Amino acid sequence: MVLTVAALTATACGSSEPASLFKDGRVSVGAKNDQPGTGVVHKYKFSGFDISVTQQILGEVGVEPDFGIVPSEDRTTVLTDKKKDLVAATFSITTDRMKELDFAGPYAATFQGVMVRTKGNRVHRYEDLFGKRVCTWPGTTSKITLDKQGDQRIAVNEREDAASCISALRNKEADAVSTDQMILYGITQENPDFEVIPGITLGSANQYGIAMAKGHRKDCLRLRDALRKYVTSNSWSHDFSTSLPSIPKADTTWETDYKPRVETIDALSCRDEPKT
Amino acid sequence: MTRPAGGGETHNSPTTHGDHSIAANDIKNVIIKWVLHPSARWLPLLLACAALVTAASLRPAGPVGGFAGWGSLAGVALATAVIRVLIRKPRHTSVIAALSLVSVLSTVGGWLAFQDAVAHREIDVTGQLRLEGRQPLDGGPHNALTLRLGEPALKESRDALRLTLALTDHDPAGPTCVQDTSATVALLVSGVEAQETDLRPGGTVDFTLGARTSSVEIHLALHTAHGCRMDVRTARAVLHDT
């Protein structure tokens, strides 16, 4: 009798965490479709660094990803509403987001930068943006950083998504696009008429993580361990330079600048707040 | 020779001899006589209660940890005094004497422990530590703050200040920088920085204060990654004796 009660109690306690996201061997993953180099869809096939990282670390835990498109502003809700199991969409780890979601990351770090039209460009430093229309899109830390910059001399032009800002830049409805440099370099790979200004960075470095809803800590820790292994192997550099060849071309210290440290992965992965 | 009230026992020890033994036996017999007197039945309890009420009304606000010794002794004093009261017909004189003695000694010991705890208690000065300087801080030109504790907070002298600092993202909706942030804190003594320590967010440092310190000034320099903006807040500041 006592043993039965103990067994029932143990079962009840053990079932406090929901079933593993990986139990079926497949997970749905939200990704970007309009960011060449990081997350893009060509002929119904996802590619980019977000996709490579996800495939590598899910492969390590023996799970297959099913990618689906997620807009920037919906990245949190698709997880909390259980429409996706994971999101790998240049999703920056922030203190606020860590309270709502668990992240395995960072798998890359990048500063926010500025992209302009190559032809006739006169923007070389931050002050050159004064009086210019800078396009960004909602649901991103880029928009927040630009707003926090509080510089009235820059006209922040908010559009629906990355594709809208690219169109606006091409059509001269915007003078620059501002978001993470990693995304901007990726965009220039398919838009050679644009260039990233290396000397302009805004705010602090964004740390990209693979996000999931709270309550799957064991799964998160498995992804964190797989990510640590991936980042310390040669695969990270290979996948990064394959997806984003424009970055090694422009930045000789790209591995130092974009590759996360293992200590940072430990500090930010699978936690409710950054480890101090 | 004094005889106990009801027992008919002689409390002189057969193993002691001389003037000292007679004096000791006299004291012992007086105590036993007093202890067994009906009026003494309630006395230990009254004494314990009076001490407890007085101490409770005098206890300063703040952490209760330092008053554990006092609490324990007051508990013992009350318990033994209550047991003493409940024994209406004493059969063993020594038990009654022991209960009364333990109660009275615990009351006295508890009072001394209370006085010691009051004199060396920890003083929470979190709200009195002023942060002077512009916030948020960055890793560049705006990376310094001064923390100052004025004379009113230091009116009771203590040996040390235990300080816990929270270093948080200025904008929690932006990229987090906590993992790349630390601070160097140094106590300013006679205009010179001393006891310099590096702190991680949420870390604690213990500064040794000089005798009769009338003000405390601590310099803080923040170290963080490029582009990061951080807020500094005193999570806890406690004056204590080492």
Side-chain angles (χ1 to χ4, degrees):
Chain A
M1 177 65 181
V2 172
L3 285 174
T4 313
V5 171
L8 285 171
T9 309
T11 312
C13 291
S15 63
S16 60
E17 182 161 311
S20 170
L21 293 172
F22 307 149
K23 66 180 191 307
D24 299 330
R26 299 195 77 83
V27 286
S28 57
V29 183
K32 299 291 294 181
N33 68 328
D34 58 354
Q35 293 179 185
T38 50
V40 71
V41 179
H42 286 310
K43 295 177 182 171
Y44 308 107
K45 194 172 177 293
F46 282 87
S47 64
F49 189 58
D50 292 342
I51 310 303
S52 302
V53 171
T54 309
Q55 285 168 334
Q56 288 278 357
I57 71 164
L58 285 180
E60 182 68 26
V61 298
V63 178
E64 283 287 317
D66 288 325
F67 289 105
I69 299 165
V70 60
S72 293
E73 66 268 31
D74 294 344
R75 289 176 294 189
T76 298
T77 49
V78 294
L79 292 171
T80 52
D81 295 349
K82 303 197 185 306
K83 289 177 182 161
K84 297 280 181 207
D85 297 319
L86 304 175
V87 163
T90 55
F91 203 12
S92 296
I93 304 172
T94 71
T95 307
D96 278 355
R97 286 174 181 162
M98 285 177 86
K99 288 174 189 156
E100 206 170 354
L101 304 170
D102 270 352
F103 287 89
Y107 59 83
T110 176
F111 281 98
Q112 184 172 337
V114 168
M115 180 177 73
V116 295
R117 290 181 296 275
T118 307
K119 198 175 173 185
N121 171 45
R122 288 178 188 166
V123 176
H124 302 287
R125 54 198 183 106
Y126 179 74
E127 289 74 15
D128 295 337
L129 291 171
F130 295 168
K132 300 279 194 301
R133 296 160 299 172
V134 179
C135 187
T136 190
W137 52 96
T140 64
T141 52
S142 310
K143 170 75 172 65
I144 293 163
T145 302
L146 266 178
D147 288 344
K148 288 280 169 190
Q149 206 81 7
D151 205 325
Q152 303 299 319
R153 294 165 292 189
I154 297 173
V156 179
N157 183 341
E158 188 177 327
R159 297 203 175 228
E160 192 185 347
D161 51 24
S164 311
C165 276
I166 291 167
S167 296
L169 184 62
R170 179 157 291 124
N171 300 335
K172 299 188 179 178
E173 291 161 12
D175 302 306
V177 172
S178 180
T179 191
D180 301 342
Q181 284 187 326
M182 213 169 115
I183 298 172
L184 295 177
Y185 275 113
I187 292 170
T188 62
Q189 289 170 185
E190 290 192 3
N191 300 276
D193 50 335
F194 299 154
E195 64 174 325
V196 178
I197 310 299
I200 302 177
T201 62
L202 305 172
S204 56
N206 286 275
Q207 316 275 352
Y208 293 152
I210 296 175
M212 62 175 68
K214 292 273 184 202
H216 303 281
R217 213 27 89 75
K218 282 181 191 163
D219 293 337
C220 186
L221 291 169
R222 284 178 70 192
L223 291 186
R224 180 202 65 184
D225 293 344
L227 177 62
R228 287 175 63 158
K229 195 171 165 188
Y230 174 62
V231 163
T232 49
S233 73
N234 291 329
S235 302
W236 186 94
S237 299
H238 173 265
D239 291 345
F240 190 90
S241 55
T242 303
S243 296
L244 293 155
S246 54
I247 292 181
K249 238 183 258 179
D251 181 357
T252 51
T253 58
W254 62 278
E255 279 186 299
T256 317
D257 295 343
Y258 291 87
K259 193 185 213 176
R261 290 177 294 133
V262 172
E263 305 85 75
T264 313
I265 295 173
D266 291 340
L268 300 181
S269 289
C270 317
R271 297 181 184 279
D272 299 330
E273 57 185 32
K275 180 190 166 194
T276 56
Chain B
M1 181 79 57
T2 312
R3 280 188 169 276
E9 299 170 49
T10 300
H11 294 279
N12 287 335
S13 167
T15 57
T16 54
H17 304 282
D19 292 343
H20 289 301
S21 67
I22 291 167
N25 282 327
D26 284 349
I27 293 168
K28 188 178 167 187
N29 289 333
V30 165
I31 290 172
I32 287 171
K33 190 178 179 184
W34 170 77
V35 158
L36 294 176
H37 193 276
S39 66
R41 196 171 140 221
W42 288 88
L43 208 59
L45 186 60
L46 289 173
L47 198 65
C49 287
L52 188 69
V53 170
T54 311
S57 62
L58 293 176
R59 195 181 78 78
V64 293
F67 294 91
W70 163 66
S72 307
L73 285 168
V76 171
L78 276 176
T80 48
V82 166
I83 294 168
R84 167 67 188 93
V85 166
L86 293 175
I87 300 174
R88 288 171 175 275
K89 292 178 181 172
R91 287 177 193 162
H92 302 287
T93 316
S94 55
V95 172
I96 298 300
L99 283 170
S100 299
L101 198 64
V102 168
S103 179
V104 171
L105 289 178
S106 298
T107 300
V108 172
W111 182 256
L112 294 174
F114 174 76
Q115 293 294 341
D116 184 66
V118 169
H120 300 286
R121 78 192 161 90
E122 295 191 341
I123 303 169
D124 191 337
V125 291
T126 308
Q128 296 172 73
L129 193 67
R130 291 196 314 275
L131 271 73
E132 295 174 0
R134 204 180 77 184
Q135 296 216 49
L137 299 182
D138 57 31
H142 304 295
N143 77 328
L145 268 187
T146 300
L147 294 91
R148 213 181 293 275
L149 196 59
E151 201 164 358
L154 294 158
K155 64 184 176 197
E156 287 184 61
S157 172
R158 293 293 184 273
D159 297 343
L161 171 68
R162 187 166 56 240
L163 176 65
T164 305
L165 288 177
L167 310 174
T168 53
D169 292 308
H170 177 64
D171 178 13
T176 181
C177 295
V178 173
Q179 73 284 355
D180 294 320
T181 301
S182 66
T184 303
V185 285
L187 185 73
L188 208 70
V189 179
S190 307
V192 179
E193 289 191 354
Q195 302 178 48
E196 190 174 287
T197 310
D198 285 330
L199 272 184
R200 301 279 304 157
T204 299
V205 59
D206 224 347
F207 288 116
T208 305
L209 304 177
R212 297 182 183 281
T213 302
S214 60
S215 71
V216 170
E217 193 174 331
I218 296 162
H219 281 188
L220 177 145
L222 189 89
H223 315 288
T224 190
H226 173 72
C228 293
R229 298 197 307 161
M230 307 299 292
D231 287 334
V232 178
R233 187 174 51 80
T234 307
R236 193 161 159 75
V238 173
L239 290 168
H240 67 102
D241 279 332
T242 48

